Amino acid sequence: MRSLFVIASLLLALSCRRDHSNPVSDPALSNETATTAAEAATPKEIIICDQKNARIIMVDIANGNTITWEWKATASYAMIRSGAQGWFSNLSEAKLVYNGKYVLATASGGGVALINVSSKKAIWYDYAGGNTHSAELLPNGNIVTASTTGGYLMIFTVDSYINDESAQTAPIAFEDVHNVVWDHARQQLYAAGKDKLKVFTYNGSCGAPKLTLKTTYTMPEGNAHDLFPVHGSTTDLWLTNSGHIYRFNVTTGVFTLVKTTSAVKSVASGPSGYQTIMAKANGVGGETWRTDRILDINGAVVYQHASLGLYKARWKLVNAFSYPAGDSFHECTHP
């Protein structure tokens, strides 16, 4: 009996030792691990016009360069009629609007579309023509486009009930215009082409929209290409031409040279932790104006994929320069 008691006691002791040998969770270590995991999972996305594959994509460079979103005009979810899908060849720009819930896209094929990010439906689309390079959302929900071939701006009275039959103004002449940006604080529009940057006011009319030229600035050099707000600034825009990147101050009219570099199709910046990125053509992706990589402003690779033919790229960030906080979809045709 004594032997059995000793054996039982030893087994009980070993059992207790095994129980106490289980690691005890260190709250500080657990919190650190959770924080690290949360930081790793925080999205940091770039919106890219992938012309080679006829799509817009969002790429999360903080999480393995995962493609988190894709849009094609030919997909059934886009709900673009077959006869209009060709308008969206060579997608030229994609920018977030309406508090990040929509993407405003243009294509050199002449198309312009307002896309619901969640459903991927083009809730409105139309044909601007003339190698459409850019579009901008106006305060009453109308959209202005910039077309390089023929050189003109055009305002569409957005009507999501009828899509590609919305009313539009006659072309507003502007030689080689490549871009268009709205300034919410000053209620005015900027566009640049050749060596001119022009400022327009907008009458806000639904049925008879009109732009009125307010000021014209002459750039230090010509061949204007990209124009986009400097993130966090209330006064500055990024501006590129064939050989330079500038910051343009909308209050002083001063062009400040940031970098001398060629073939930059787009520039975009962000808050702390975000590089200033540029899409700089290197001829990879099927056309001379495309690239397979996105660089920071110093030339370091931020994202690269050999199967892509990229054009413009923007950070997936809300644009507070152009749109009011909490802005949501609206159209003046159906208030």
Side-chain angles (χ1 to χ4, degrees):
M1 289 293 292
R2 180 180 177 85
S3 297
L4 289 174
F5 178 77
V6 170
I7 292 170
S9 298
L10 287 171
L11 288 172
L12 181 61
L14 288 170
S15 174
C16 292
R17 185 171 295 171
R18 280 197 299 269
D19 288 343
H20 286 291
S21 68
N22 289 336
V24 177
S25 176
D26 181 342
L29 183 60
S30 298
N31 289 338
E32 182 181 346
T33 303
T35 301
T36 302
E39 287 174 352
T42 301
K44 190 176 179 182
E45 296 175 83
I46 303 174
I47 305 172
I48 295 168
C49 292
D50 176 16
Q51 292 188 347
K52 182 179 178 181
N53 298 290
R55 61 182 181 168
I56 300 167
I57 56 175
M58 297 182 188
V59 176
D60 187 353
I61 65 167
N63 290 280
N65 292 332
T66 303
I67 295 177
T68 60
W69 188 86
E70 178 189 77
W71 184 86
K72 291 186 174 185
T74 54
S76 59
Y77 54 67
M79 297 187 70
I80 293 176
R81 64 179 176 84
S82 58
Q85 291 170 1
W87 301 348
F88 295 91
S89 62
N90 285 337
L91 287 150
S92 55
E93 185 175 59
K95 60 174 73 170
L96 280 184
V97 296
Y98 290 132
N99 206 34
K101 300 296 177 62
Y102 293 79
V103 168
L104 179 58
T106 56
S108 293
V112 54
L114 185 61
I115 304 159
N116 183 298
V117 172
S118 178
S119 68
K120 300 186 182 181
K121 177 186 177 183
I123 65 164
W124 173 85
Y125 65 93
D126 218 314
Y127 182 75
N131 193 2
T132 313
H133 255 62
S134 182
E136 183 59 293
L137 185 66
L138 296 168
N140 64 352
N142 287 345
I143 286 171
V144 58
T145 57
S147 296
T148 63
T149 303
Y152 58 90
L153 303 173
M154 183 181 289
I155 302 173
F156 289 83
T157 300
V158 172
D159 188 337
S160 61
Y161 288 26
I162 60 175
N163 284 322
D164 60 328
E165 296 180 356
S166 292
Q168 54 200 258
T169 63
I172 303 157
F174 189 167
E175 186 180 6
D176 202 41
V177 64
H178 270 71
N179 48 66
V180 63
V181 172
W182 180 254
D183 182 339
H184 171 66
R186 297 165 188 82
Q187 293 291 290
Q188 57 191 25
L189 189 77
Y190 309 99
K194 290 292 186 182
D195 66 340
K196 305 298 181 187
L197 189 152
K198 297 184 180 183
V199 185
F200 300 87
T201 58
Y202 174 56
N203 68 353
S205 171
C206 185
K210 182 180 179 181
L211 296 177
T212 300
L213 181 63
K214 179 181 178 182
T215 310
T216 299
Y217 297 96
T218 299
M219 295 168 51
E221 295 87 17
N223 298 320
H225 196 274
D226 194 37
L227 189 69
F228 199 70
V230 174
H231 185 86
S233 174
T234 59
T235 60
D236 285 15
L237 303 175
W238 293 111
L239 172 66
T240 73
N241 66 1
S242 53
H244 308 82
I245 299 173
Y246 295 95
R247 283 177 67 141
F248 172 73
N249 187 297
V250 303
T251 59
T252 65
V254 173
F255 298 87
T256 301
L257 179 63
V258 176
K259 190 175 185 67
T260 299
T261 185
S262 62
V264 175
K265 302 305 179 182
S266 68
V267 178
S269 51
S272 177
Y274 283 71
Q275 304 99 313
T276 295
I277 57 172
M278 58 183 181
K280 179 178 166 70
N282 64 3
V284 177
E287 300 289 352
T288 58
W289 58 79
R290 296 176 186 166
T291 181
D292 63 340
R293 66 196 67 183
I294 295 167
L295 309 175
D296 70 16
I297 202 163
N298 297 313
V301 175
V302 174
Y303 171 73
Q304 182 174 11
H305 200 298
S307 70
L308 308 184
L310 315 179
Y311 195 59
K312 291 180 187 173
R314 312 284 191 204
W315 286 115
K316 187 185 176 184
L317 295 168
V318 172
N319 175 3
F321 181 91
S322 297
Y323 320 119
D327 197 20
S328 59
F329 173 75
H330 55 274
E331 54 188 345
C332 59
T333 49
H334 302 286

